[in-house]
Amino acid sequence: MRILLTGSTGQVGRAILADLAADAEHQVFAPRRDRLDLRDLDALRRIVYELRPDLIVNPAAYTAVDRAESDAEAAFRLNAEAPAVLARAAADCGVGFVHFSTDYVFDGRKAGPYSETDAPNPINVYGRSKLAGDEAVLASGARAVILRTSWVYDEVGRNFLTTMLRLGQERPALRVVADQHGAPTSTAVIARTVRAVIARFASAGRSGEALPRGLVNCACAGETNWHGFATAIFAGLRRRGTALSVRSVEPVASAEYLTAANRPANSRLCLHRLRDVLGITPPDWAAELEAVLDRAVAIGSAPGSPPGCP
Ligand SMILES: NC(=O)c1ccc[n+]([C@@H]2O[C@H](COP(=O)([O-])OP(=O)(O)OC[C@H]3O[C@@H](n4cnc5c(N)ncnc54)[C@H](OP(=O)(O)O)[C@@H]3O)[C@@H](O)[C@H]2O)c1
């Protein structure tokens, strides 16, 4: 398949690009921001009409959740207008579309995990801009799948794990929020899911088989909170021989750790549709963390002994 991939320098885009690079069946066009600026809506339209890909995969986004509170115009341009334009062009050209949504479209007041049919009610600008993008993609008429994910991290990006790794080496004590609940989700799990979606688009193209459409939650199984995640990261790093200066990790309430944007207390996502529609049973977040920490040590982003070494 000819695939147009945006955001290939970001966490999710980089993982998708690496995953697809191993597959000779696909020809991937992944222009970086200097070649394709998503704020240039005419350029977005043009690239779809000129390239005529089979599929667009669009992880590019404005993801600075706190900055978005004072930069709403830029967040809406990237997260709502750009996907709207891309999805409409995809619909016009008969191109498939894979997009990404967030747990932050919810207010977090639900008692259980959020399913794809739960009504969103974002409580920050980032969430509102992403929701506007989801709605535009769904209304575009494109053959679109939107993967709604949460708490994304890996061993190389700028994320909670790499921040904890740095802070854990610099500071003796940390305070981490313990009243926001969700599932940390590695970019590897998201890339594997994207591969499954692409395979479905490819086989539907050949056989006319029905494609999954619409929202599909895509996260690791199980749940924790940020304090639980931080504690598991430090325990896993210590087991791998990483020297840490942090001795105490104190759980705090969100109200004690003020940020510009409000964040939902419940980010848990129901994963039934992921299993039923795409046939994917994601790993538990804690097991997946172990695999990510192994990779972090192996590539040297976390100093320690690589797995298998004494
Ligand atoms: N991170 C999370 O915890 C999380 C949680 C739930 C959902 N999501 C969603 O998952 C998707 C992927 O997120 P991520 O964590 O991979 O994001 P990320 O690491 O912040 O990457 C964003 C990507 O978008 C690109 N981009 C930003 N502005 C651009 C512009 N004007 N023109 C062209 N490219 C531009 C960035 O390019 P540069 O490198 O040039 O800046 C980067 O490649 C997004 O839709 C996000 O909303 C993320």
Side-chain angles (χ1 to χ4, degrees):
M1 287 191 113
R2 283 162 66 82
I3 298 171
L4 171 62
L5 172 68
T6 69
S8 61
T9 53
Q11 299 193 90
V12 170
R14 193 186 308 112
I16 294 170
L17 186 61
D19 195 64
L20 292 179
D23 192 338
E25 228 183 279
H26 303 305
Q27 204 183 354
V28 183
F29 301 85
R32 292 172 172 227
R33 184 198 287 249
D34 55 351
R35 299 283 309 281
L36 181 68
D37 189 325
L38 272 86
R39 292 169 296 188
D40 183 346
L41 303 181
D42 286 335
L44 283 184
R45 243 175 249 114
R46 231 180 8 253
I47 196 166
V48 180
Y49 279 90
E50 286 174 8
L51 195 61
R52 295 281 170 161
D54 301 304
L55 190 67
I56 299 169
V57 181
N58 182 44
Y62 185 111
T63 57
V65 175
D66 289 313
R67 193 167 2 117
E69 293 298 305
S70 53
D71 199 12
E73 202 182 320
F76 270 83
R77 182 84 163 188
L78 254 290
N79 293 346
E81 290 177 47
V85 164
L86 272 177
R88 270 200 305 273
D92 290 347
C93 298
V95 173
F97 197 70
V98 182
H99 187 59
F100 298 85
S101 179
T102 169
D103 50 311
Y104 282 14
V105 298
F106 296 115
D107 60 22
R109 296 205 190 98
K110 186 178 174 179
Y114 283 98
S115 79
E116 291 82 353
T117 53
D118 281 318
N121 184 29
I123 55 174
N124 58 42
V125 169
Y126 167 75
R128 282 196 284 280
S129 69
K130 290 292 295 179
L131 175 60
D134 293 356
E135 289 172 345
V137 170
L138 292 172
S140 68
R143 290 177 297 138
V145 172
I146 304 180
L147 297 175
R148 180 169 280 159
T149 188
S150 69
W151 296 19
V152 176
Y153 77 103
D154 61 17
E155 62 280 14
V156 284
R158 270 192 307 173
N159 56 55
F160 188 83
L161 182 144
T162 51
T163 302
M164 286 300 120
L165 175 58
R166 179 173 52 79
L167 295 179
Q169 292 172 310
E170 288 172 4
R171 299 200 191 161
L174 292 173
R175 303 166 80 231
V176 184
V177 167
D179 58 1
Q180 293 168 23
H181 303 270
T185 302
S186 75
T187 57
V189 165
I190 299 172
R192 280 204 293 277
T193 307
V194 169
R195 198 196 313 149
V197 173
I198 291 173
R200 293 292 287 272
F201 270 99
S203 65
R206 282 193 290 270
S207 66
E209 167 197 319
L211 258 178
R213 282 195 188 205
L215 281 159
V216 182
N217 290 342
C218 168
C220 277
E223 65 173 277
T224 184
N225 58 62
W226 292 113
H227 176 266
F229 189 27
T231 307
I233 290 168
F234 293 136
L237 287 171
R238 284 206 166 90
R239 278 198 303 280
R240 287 166 177 78
T242 304
L244 297 170
S245 48
V246 67
R247 292 284 163 263
S248 117
V249 185
E250 185 193 343
V252 295
S254 303
E256 292 176 68
Y257 186 85
L258 290 179
T259 49
N262 289 321
R263 285 162 168 77
N266 175 17
S267 280
R268 291 175 296 151
L269 299 174
C270 171
L271 302 174
H272 293 166
R273 192 163 146 80
L274 183 65
R275 182 195 60 206
D276 297 344
V277 171
L278 292 177
I280 291 177
T281 305
D284 188 82
W285 73 269
E288 183 62 13
L289 173 62
E290 295 298 320
V292 175
L293 290 177
D294 281 346
R295 287 199 293 276
V297 170
I299 65 167
S301 66
S305 316
C309 287

